Amino acid sequence: MKIRVLTIFPGLLNSFWETGMIRRALEQEKISASAIDIREYAEGRHRVTDDRPYGGGSGMVMKPEPLAGAIRAAKKDSPEARTVLLSPQGRVFRQAVAREMSSLEALILVCGRYEGVDERISRELIDDEISIGDYVLTGGEVPAMVVIDAVARLLPGVLGNDDSAETDSFSGHLLEHGHYTRPREFEGESVPEVLLSGDHQAIESWRREAALMRTFLRRPDLLANRPLDSETLEILKNWCRDIEAIIRAQPLRGADTLPGAEPER
Ligand code: SAM
């Protein structure tokens, strides 16, 4: 995949290209990625890329001409690319969006600054707008790195077998289970016994149930209104039965408090 980041601060991405998974992916030519300085497409001695907003008001707006020049040059180089503007007003970036983007041949990521980019740029030259969440950052460079990181690790061969993306949170409908490494005991807390058992089937079931429990407690929205597989449903039903048994065992009117029980008159 070919990735171009259009920014007025290309230096912000330097350590990103030089570190960890992205560096490996670049070295192994699984991706080709670089930042392009929008200023190079600005006119005049000072290469100005921003101007005051028409209609007045605070802040500056990114001028359309340098942006259009930079986007058109990047598109000429990769005509098949999807051009994405990073914007708090875009569709929210999720794992499903990362997966969708990972099938693209090329990606042009346009980073805004100040109050954002001239509206005519987003109307004419942008295919998609992506937000990394409901908050406002000062620029699109951090969101661009978020997108690149999430997309690149889904490309074939970018992650080693040791850190496969298949079991990650959101790859199905669950958060991932917790992880443990040595030592066996840390400040009085032990690793769950089953993980030391060597019984792969038992470990797999424990992980599945731990992932479900974590999702239920932290992000029940991920489970609601989704088709769940039969194994997940069976675990949930077992929990229901266990909870009912605890409530029924209460000495005073325990069973009356179960959902669907007749209210006391
Ligand atoms: N005035 C804009 C608004 O209210 O929607 C916010 C502009 S923001 C200060 C400057 C730039 O940062 C944006 O053009 C965008 O590129 C980037 N940015 C800020 N927050 C973002 C977010 N949550 N997701 C993606 N990009 C964001």
Side-chain angles (χ1 to χ4, degrees), residues 202-221:
I203 292 171
E204 204 35 59
S205 322
W206 180 87
R207 285 184 167 158
R208 201 182 169 84
E209 189 155 350
L212 186 57
M213 175 63 83
R214 181 163 283 209
T215 311
F216 176 66
L217 293 175
R218 296 185 184 189
R219 292 290 306 275
D221 58 297

Side-chain angles (χ1 to χ4, degrees), residues 85-89 110-117 130-140 143:
L85 175 67
L86 284 314
S87 160
Q89 302 176 13
V110 182
C111 304
R113 280 267 153 181
Y114 320 116
E115 287 306 316
V117 308
I130 291 288
S131 162
I132 60 159
D134 289 348
Y135 41 81
V136 177
L137 303 165
T138 46

Side-chain angles (χ1 to χ4, degrees), residues 22-56:
I22 294 293
R23 185 180 128 173
R24 267 199 330 263
L26 284 166
E27 283 172 355
Q28 294 169 6
E29 298 182 3
K30 307 279 187 216
I31 59 169
S32 134
S34 60
I36 292 170
D37 192 346
I38 296 167
R39 278 182 214 284
E40 285 176 16
Y41 297 87
E43 300 272 301
R45 197 153 62 91
H46 298 293
R47 296 189 177 272
V48 176
T49 55
D50 59 310
D51 206 342
R52 285 170 307 194
Y54 274 122

